[in-house]
C-alpha cells in the first residue's frame, strides 16, 4: 500500500511530460509555417528602408515608401507564382533538384531585372494610362491601388495553387484603377490592343516553337539508330544556339543605342555561339563515354542544355516581369518629381533592385508548390522535352522584352508545356517512324498478333491532363476583370480615406 501513491505519481508525471512534448512538437510545427511569412515581412521592412534612403528628403516621401512596400509585396508574389514556370520543367524532368532550381532562378532573375528590365517598366509605368492626361497626385494613387490589387489577386491565386499571369493582373489593375479614377479617356487603348494581341499570340508561338524543337530532337537524335553519336553531334549545336542568341541579346541591351551596326551584333552572336560549341563539344564527348545506346542515356547528355535554358529563361523573366512589380512604383517616383528617375525615362536602379530581390525572395520562400504543378502535373517531361519548353519560352520572352512588350511569361511557359504534350499525342498517333518503332518493339517481345502499337501507346499514356488545361485557362480569363474591379474599388477606398 505505501508504494502505490509513488507509482501513480510516476505515471502521472510521465503523462504530463508526454503532453508537454506534444505541445512542444505542435509549437515547432506551427512556428515553421510562420518562418516564411516572417521573413517576407522583414524583406518588406528592408524595402521601405531602402526606398527611404533615396526619398526621405523629398515631397511625398511617405507615399513613395508605402509604394515601395507594395512593390516588394507584389514582387514576392510574382516570385511565388510566376517564376515556377522558369524552372518547373527542369525540376519535373529531374535535371536539377528543387534547391538547385531555386538558387539558379534567384540569381538569374536579379541579373535579368537589373540589366534588361528597363524597357518593359516604361511600358507599364507610362504607356497604359497616359501620364500627361492624369494629374501627378491622382496617378500616384492609381498606381498604389493597382499594385495592391494585383498583389492581392496573385497572393490568392498562389494560395489556390493556380499559375495565373502576373502580367494580366497588373495590366488589368492599372486599367481598372485608371478608369475608376478618371474614366476611360486616359487609357491608351492602342497600346492595350497591342498587349492583348501579344497575350494571344505569344503562348501559341511558344507552343509552336517548343513543338518544332521537340520534332527536331526526335528526328535528329531520339529515333536515330545510334542515339549517342547523334547526340554528340547535335547537343553542342543546340547549346551554341543558346549561347549565340543570348550573347546577341545582351549586346543589344548593354550597348549605347546606335553604337553597333546590326551586322556587328549578329557577328558577335555567331562568334559567341562558335566558342560555346567548342566548349560544349568537348564536355559532351566526355559525358558520352561509356553510355549505352538508350533513351535513358540521352537524359544525361541533355542535363546541361536544360539547366542552361532554365537559367536563360529566368533571366528573360526578370527582364520582362519585374515591370509588373516596379512599373507602378516607377510611375509614382516620376509623379512626385524624384530626380533620380534618370535619362530617357529609365527607372532608377534602386527601383529595379526592389523588384529583382523581391522576386527572388518570393521564389525562395513560397515557390516550390507551383514548380511541381507546372513541371510535373500537366504532362510528363524528360530533359529533352523540358529543354524544348524552356528554350522556346526564353527566346519568346527575350524578343518581347527587347520590343518593350509586357507579355505573360506564364502564358508562354505553360503554352510551351501544352505544345510539347499535344505534339507528343499527335506524333504518337501519326508518325510512321514511331509506329514502325513500336511494331518492331512488339515483335522483339515475341507477341503474337500484337494490338496496334499506336493505339496501345495512346491509351497507355494520357499525355496532357485536360483538367489542368481548363483550370489554367479559366484562371487566365478571369484575372484581368478581377484585378481591374479590385483595383477600382481600392482606389475609391484610398481616395475616400487619404485624399
Amino acid at each position: 500500500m505505501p508504494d502505490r501513491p509513488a507509482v501513480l505519481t510516476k505515471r502521472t508525471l510521465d503523462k504530463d511530460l508526454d503532453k508537454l512534448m506534444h505541445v512542444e512538437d505542435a509549437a515547432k510545427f506551427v512556428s515553421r509555417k510562420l518562418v516564411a511569412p516572417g521573413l517576407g515581412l522583414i524583406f518588406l521592412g528592408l524595402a521601405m528602408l531602402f526606398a527611404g534612403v533615396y526619398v526621405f528628403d523629398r515631397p511625398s516621401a511617405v507615399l513613395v515608401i508605402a509604394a515601395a512596400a507594395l512593390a516588394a509585396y507584389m514582387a514576392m508574389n510574382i516570385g511565388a507564382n510566376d517564376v515556377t514556370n522558369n524552372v518547373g520543367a527542369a525540376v519535373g524532368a529531374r535535371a536539377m533538384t528543387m534547391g538547385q532550381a531555386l538558387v539558379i532562378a534567384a540569381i538569374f532573375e536579379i541579373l535579368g531585372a537589373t540589366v534588361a528590365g528597363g524597357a518593359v517598366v516604361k511600358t507599364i509605368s507610362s504607356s497604359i494610362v497616359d501620364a500627361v492626361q492624369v494629374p501627378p497626385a491622382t496617378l500616384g494613387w492609381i498606381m498604389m491601388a493597382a499594385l495592391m490589387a494585383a498583389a492581392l489577386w496573385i497572393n490568392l491565386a498562389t494560395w489556390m495553387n493556380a499559375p495565373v499571369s502576373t502580367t494580366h493582373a497588373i495590366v488589368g489593375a492599372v486599367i481598372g484603377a485608371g478608369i475608376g479614377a478618371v474614366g476611360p479617356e486616359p487609357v491608351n487603348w492602342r497600346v492595350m490592343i497591342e498587349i492583348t494581341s501579344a497575350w494571344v499570340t505569344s503562348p501559341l508561338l511558344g507552343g509552336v516553337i517548343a513543338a518544332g524543337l521537340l520534332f527536331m530532337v526526335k528526328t535528329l537524335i531520339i529515333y536515330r539508330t545510334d542515339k549517342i553519336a547523334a547526340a554528340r553531334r547535335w547537343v553542342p549545336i543546340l547549346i551554341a544556339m543558346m549561347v549565340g542568341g543570348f550573347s546577341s541579346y545582351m549586346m543589344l541591351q548593354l550597348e549605347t543605342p546606335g553604337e553597333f551596326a546590326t551586322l556587328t551584333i549578329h557577328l558577335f552572336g555567331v562568334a559567341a555561339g562558335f566558342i560555346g560549341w567548342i566548349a560544349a563539344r568537348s564536355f559532351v564527348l566526355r559525358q558520352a563515354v561509356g553510355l549505352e545506346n538508350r533513351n535513358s542515356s540521352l537524359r544525361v547528355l541533355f542535363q546541361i542544355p536544360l539547366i542552361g535554358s532554365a537559367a536563360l529563361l529566368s533571366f528573360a523573366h526578370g527582364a520582362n516581369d519585374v515591370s509588373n512589380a516596379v512599373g507602378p512604383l516607377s510611375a509614382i517616383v516620376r509623379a512626385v518629381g524624384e530626380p533620380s528617375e534618370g535619362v530617357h525615362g529609365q527607372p532608377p536602379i534602386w527601383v529595379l533592385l526592389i523588384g529583382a530581390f523581391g522576386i527572388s525572395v518570393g521564389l525562395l520562400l513560397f515557390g516550390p508548390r507551383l514548380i511541381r504543378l507546372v513541371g510535373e502535373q500537366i504532362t510528363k517531361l524528360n530533359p529533352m522535352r523540358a529543354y524544348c519548353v524552356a528554350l522556346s519560352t526564353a527566346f519568346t520572352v527575350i524578343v518581347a522584352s527587347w520590343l518593350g512588350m509586357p507579355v505573360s511569361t506564364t502564358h508562354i511557359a505553360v503554352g510551351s508545356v501544352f505544345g510539347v504534350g499535344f505534339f507528343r499525342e499527335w506524333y504518337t498517333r501519326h508518325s510512321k517512324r514511331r509506329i514502325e518503332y513500336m511494331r518492331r518493339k512488339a515483335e522483339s517481345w515475341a507477341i503474337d498478333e500484337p494490338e496496334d502499337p499506336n493505339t496501345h501507346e495512346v491509351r497507355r499514356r494520357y499525355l496532357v491532363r485536360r483538367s489542368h488545361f481548363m483550370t489554367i485557362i479559366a484562371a487566365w480569363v478571369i484575372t484581368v476583370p478581377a484585378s481591374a474591379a479590385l483595383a477600382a474599388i481600392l482606389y475609391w477606398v484610398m481616395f475616400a480615406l487619404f485624399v
Side-chain angles (χ1 to χ4, degrees):
M1 293 298 294
D3 294 337
R4 189 171 180 179
V7 173
L8 288 174
T9 301
K10 185 175 184 301
R11 289 176 179 173
T12 302
L13 180 61
D14 289 341
K15 290 180 179 179
D16 291 341
L17 290 174
D18 287 340
K19 292 178 181 178
L20 289 173
M21 291 178 63
H22 286 307
V23 170
E24 184 178 356
D25 291 340
K28 289 181 179 178
F29 179 77
V30 172
S31 63
R32 280 198 298 269
K33 289 187 174 182
L34 297 176
V35 169
L39 293 174
L41 288 174
I42 292 173
F43 176 75
L44 293 184
L46 291 175
M48 294 173 70
L49 290 174
F50 189 55
V53 169
Y54 288 91
V55 300
F56 72 95
D57 59 342
R58 303 292 175 186
S60 304
V62 174
L63 179 65
V64 175
I65 292 172
L70 286 176
Y73 174 53
M74 175 68 173
M76 285 196 296
N77 279 289
I78 293 172
N81 189 287
D82 217 9
V83 183
T84 58
N85 306 313
N86 306 348
V87 293
V91 174
R94 298 180 178 85
M96 64 176 78
T97 65
M98 183 72 74
Q100 292 170 339
L102 294 173
V103 171
I104 289 174
I107 292 172
F108 281 89
E109 285 284 337
I110 293 172
L111 290 175
T114 52
V115 172
V120 187
V121 170
K122 288 193 292 182
T123 300
I124 294 290
S125 63
S126 59
S127 297
I128 296 176
V129 174
D130 190 356
V132 177
Q133 301 184 45
V134 180
T138 303
L139 181 64
W141 288 110
I142 288 173
M143 294 300 175
M144 286 283 287
L147 271 175
M148 183 175 293
L152 290 174
W153 174 253
I154 297 167
N155 205 158
L156 175 63
T158 305
W159 177 73
M160 295 174 63
N161 216 29
V164 299
S165 167
T166 58
T167 306
H168 283 201
I170 192 63
V171 171
V174 171
I175 293 173
I179 293 176
V182 292
E185 289 80 11
V187 176
N188 193 331
W189 296 108
R190 183 185 62 80
V191 171
M192 275 307 306
I193 291 173
E194 293 175 357
I195 293 174
T196 304
S197 64
W199 289 348
V200 174
T201 58
S202 58
L204 296 176
L205 181 61
V208 169
I209 294 175
L213 286 170
L214 184 57
F215 175 77
M216 183 177 70
V217 169
K218 283 180 176 290
T219 303
L220 298 177
I221 300 176
I222 295 177
Y223 289 125
R224 291 291 179 179
T225 303
D226 191 342
K227 305 174 190 296
I228 303 304
R232 287 199 300 263
R233 181 183 308 113
W234 286 103
V235 168
I237 294 176
L238 294 174
I239 294 175
M241 289 169 53
M242 286 195 303
V243 174
F246 182 66
S247 299
S248 297
Y249 171 72
M250 285 298 297
M251 192 171 182
L252 282 170
Q253 291 296 321
L254 297 176
E255 69 157 342
T256 303
E259 182 178 357
F260 297 107
T262 303
L263 179 60
T264 304
I265 295 173
H266 289 165
L267 290 175
F268 178 80
V270 171
F274 181 72
I275 295 172
W277 176 78
I278 293 174
R281 185 171 181 272
S282 174
F283 183 80
V284 170
L285 288 176
R286 288 197 303 269
Q287 269 193 321
V289 174
L291 291 180
E292 298 181 10
N293 188 33
R294 303 171 58 185
N295 283 351
S296 58
S297 299
L298 298 178
R299 297 172 181 265
V300 177
L301 299 179
F302 266 86
Q303 281 185 345
I304 295 301
L306 178 55
I307 292 172
S309 62
L312 178 59
L313 178 53
S314 294
F315 182 96
H317 180 272
N320 192 283
D321 281 29
V322 70
S323 62
N324 300 339
V326 301
L329 175 59
S330 179
I332 293 171
V333 170
R334 186 186 300 113
V336 300
E338 169 58 38
S340 64
E341 176 69 11
V343 296
H344 306 301
Q346 292 290 339
I349 188 63
W350 66 267
V351 170
L352 290 174
L353 286 175
I354 287 177
F357 281 96
I359 289 175
S360 298
V361 169
L363 171 66
L364 294 173
L365 295 180
F366 307 108
R369 286 179 60 195
L370 288 182
I371 285 179
R372 295 188 178 95
L373 172 66
V374 175
E376 299 174 5
Q377 297 178 22
I378 294 175
T379 189
K380 184 178 180 181
L381 293 175
N382 59 23
M384 290 79 79
R385 299 169 201 147
Y387 166 79
C388 297
V389 169
L391 187 60
S392 67
T393 307
F395 277 137
T396 304
V397 175
I398 280 176
V399 171
S401 300
W402 176 42
L403 297 173
M405 188 64 62
V407 295
S408 169
T409 308
T410 304
H411 268 199
I412 300 169
V414 178
S416 298
V417 173
F418 279 116
V420 163
F422 286 129
F423 171 77
R424 290 175 62 213
E425 291 186 355
W426 177 88
Y427 195 82
T428 300
R429 289 189 178 95
H430 298 94
S431 171
K432 294 180 180 179
R433 183 188 298 272
R434 178 74 175 178
I435 295 171
E436 182 62 27
Y437 172 79
M438 293 302 299
R439 183 172 286 110
R440 290 199 307 268
K441 190 174 182 180
E443 291 173 355
S444 68
W445 290 343
I447 300 176
D448 296 331
E449 299 297 329
E451 179 185 10
D452 182 359
N454 189 37
T455 305
H456 172 72
E457 182 71 4
V458 172
R459 188 171 66 246
R460 186 176 70 83
R461 290 187 300 178
Y462 190 45
L463 300 184
V464 177
R465 297 185 182 179
R466 268 66 172 179
S467 60
H468 287 305
F469 179 79
M470 298 309 298
T471 299
I472 292 172
I473 292 297
W476 289 350
V477 168
I478 67 173
T479 292
V480 171
S483 60
L486 182 57
I489 293 170
L490 287 175
Y491 174 81
W492 292 329
V493 172
M494 289 181 180
F495 187 84
L497 293 176
F498 302 111
V499 181

